[in-house]
Structure formats: C-alpha cells, structure tokens
Amino acid sequence: PVGVYGWILHKTAWWKEHLFQEMAKRIPLEYSTMLMGMMFGETEGLDEGILDQFRKNGTAHILAVSGLHVGMVYASVSLLLPRGRLGKDLVILFLLFLYVVLASFSPSVLRAFLMILIHMLGKRLYCRYDLLSSASLAFILLLVLNPNSLFNPGFQLSFLAISSLALFLPVLEKLFRSSLVSMILALPLGLSPFTAYLFNYVSLAGLLLNPPVVFLTGILIPGALLLVPLTLIPGLGGPLDLMGHFLRLVLEVLLQLNQLFFVPGRSYWN
C-alpha cells in the first residue's frame, strides 16, 4: 500500500529481515526460524514436523503471537522502568505499540494492547479494573476498526482465552485454593471444545507441558526482543554472540521438552 501505512509495513519488514539475518549468524537456522515465529508469529520457514508437535501438544500458541507475548513484553519493560510516573506509562505504550507494528497488527496482539491501555487509564482515573469489561470494550473497538476480525481464528481464540480466565478462574480458585492450578485448568476448559472443532484433536499433554513452556517463553521473548535494538548498533558482535548462545540453549531445552511429551496416540486424541 502507498502512503504512511505502506512505509511502516516496508520498514518493519526490513527490520525483521535484518534481525533474522543477525540471529542466523549466531543461532542455527532451525532455532532462529523458531524464534522469529515466537516473536512475530511468522512460522513459514519452521519445520513442519516441529510445528505439528507443538500443535498436538497444545503449545502452538507460543508460536502465534498472542496476548501472552504482549504481557511478557509489558512485564519486562515495567520492571526496567521507575515506578508510578506518567512518563513510564507513555514509554510502555510506545514500546508496546512498536511491538504491535512488528507483529503486523495481529488481532490478539491488538486485543492485549487495548486491554493494557484500558488498565492504565483505569489506574490514572482511579477506576476499578474488570477483566471481562475490559475485554468487551476491546472486542467492540476491534470490530469497529475491522468487522471481518470476527471470523479470524486468532481473534476468536484470543477472546475465548480471556473470557475463560474471567469466567472460570474465580470458580476454580474457590475449588482448589491455588492460583497456579486454576490458571492451568481455566484455559483448557474454555479452549478445548473450540480447538477440537477447529483442528479435530484434543491435547492431553498441554495440561502438564504448558506451565514450563510458558516459563521458558517468558525468558526467550524479552531476551530476543532485546536483540532488536542491539542489532542496529555497530560493533556489538561480542554481546550479540553471547546473547545468541544463551537463547540457543533455552530453545534446545524447549524443543527437547516438547519432544519428550509428544507420544502419538497418547498425548493427544483425534
């Protein structure tokens, strides 16, 4: 497209390609492709066998940029910046918007960005934040921007996930008295019927595998995004090599864990 939007798309495509080339110098192609999928949802070059394992294990959501990734970026930036200032909120929103652009305005990323914006406004206006109300407002705003989003599976899964947390978490926390157990169970309860309808299988491994996978993703995403500005600074070969080695080790652990839980006919049901 011509104009400002076309210029933004061109620049972000160049930036992502530059980042991929820099990562490919330091990390094997299989891992650098996987990392690009985790950061920006671009899984075109990823090995189909590995992708199938992630899907059948119920962990493919880490390869599709989602609200989880935006939450990790938000948490990482919040920890690095001083607390309680308006300037901090503006810097966070600017960096998150850059991530939205790099993720090609994915519906799930836009949903998470809008909900964080609503949360920040709530704090500044001393209003109580409600998860379901915030998700509903983001839902309406995104459909006003693009009504066709309603038929996008990523959009559907993103809002179904957040609705599952809002509806099931309070009930499960009363039953199990554990936030961790409740979080692990809430998402499969809401998402499993829909993923069974979309993909024709139900993952059993995901219940056990998702907590460590999400933990490792929480290390990989901030670390990989730190590479984005570093690759633009000349003369930083040493730190980039060190970061690349660290990311490769974490990716190896993630892949080995995923392979360990992949047992055809047992870890998932068709």
Side-chain angles (χ1 to χ4, degrees):
V2 295
V4 176
Y5 184 59
W7 179 83
I8 290 171
L9 289 180
H10 174 75
K11 285 295 180 186
T12 51
W14 174 85
W15 204 359
K16 282 191 278 190
E17 179 60 26
H18 174 72
L19 177 64
F20 177 70
Q21 295 299 336
E22 288 295 322
M23 284 197 301
K25 291 177 189 174
R26 296 163 175 88
I27 308 172
L29 188 62
E30 178 188 1
Y31 293 148
S32 51
T33 307
M34 185 175 162
L35 203 51
M36 287 297 287
M38 291 177 74
M39 284 194 293
F40 308 120
E42 296 177 1
T43 56
E44 289 85 0
L46 195 60
D47 181 82
E48 194 60 39
I50 292 174
L51 196 54
D52 189 56
Q53 283 184 4
F54 274 96
R55 284 173 182 154
K56 298 286 173 63
N57 279 343
T59 52
H61 60 87
I62 68 162
L63 300 174
V65 181
S66 65
L68 173 72
H69 297 67
V70 181
M72 288 172 181
V73 176
Y74 178 42
S76 305
V77 176
S78 296
L79 283 172
L80 293 173
L81 296 174
R83 292 184 179 181
R85 295 179 182 175
L86 179 62
K88 175 185 174 177
D89 287 355
L90 293 175
V91 169
I92 289 173
L93 287 174
F94 174 72
L95 292 173
L96 286 178
F97 183 72
L98 275 183
Y99 188 59
V100 170
V101 173
L102 286 168
S104 305
F105 298 93
S106 158
S108 52
V109 173
L110 274 171
R111 188 270 304 159
F113 175 76
L114 285 172
M115 288 183 69
I116 289 170
L117 175 60
I118 294 162
H119 182 253
M120 286 180 169
L121 285 172
K123 279 197 300 183
R124 292 290 163 190
L125 299 171
Y126 301 100
C127 296
R128 186 173 65 85
Y129 179 79
D130 175 70
L131 190 63
L132 205 54
S133 299
S134 172
S136 301
L137 180 55
F139 182 86
I140 292 165
L141 290 172
L142 287 177
L143 287 184
V144 167
L145 286 170
N146 181 8
N148 286 322
S149 296
L150 187 62
F151 306 104
N152 181 308
F155 180 92
Q156 296 166 350
L157 284 165
S158 183
F159 279 99
L160 189 58
I162 208 73
S163 303
S164 301
L165 290 176
L167 295 170
F168 294 130
L169 264 183
V171 178
L172 291 170
E173 282 176 346
K174 285 180 183 176
L175 283 173
F176 296 100
R177 301 186 183 280
S178 166
S179 297
L180 180 61
V181 174
S182 303
M183 284 284 286
I184 291 169
L185 292 176
L187 286 175
L189 271 174
L191 293 178
S192 291
F194 191 61
T195 52
Y197 168 72
L198 278 181
F199 308 119
N200 301 311
Y201 62 82
V202 175
S203 172
L204 303 176
L207 284 171
L208 295 173
L209 192 54
N210 264 300
V213 162
V214 169
F215 173 75
L216 291 171
T217 306
I219 298 170
L220 285 166
I221 296 297
L225 286 173
L226 192 61
L227 288 176
V228 176
L230 292 180
T231 55
L232 298 175
I233 303 170
L236 285 181
L240 283 173
D241 290 343
L242 190 65
M243 180 67 80
H245 181 67
F246 170 72
L247 292 173
R248 183 177 63 81
L249 287 175
V250 180
L251 281 165
E252 277 182 3
V253 173
L254 181 62
L255 277 171
Q256 291 296 327
L257 195 62
N258 209 53
Q259 287 172 3
L260 182 68
F261 276 79
F262 183 69
V263 185
R266 292 185 181 180
S267 57
Y268 62 89
W269 286 343
N270 287 320

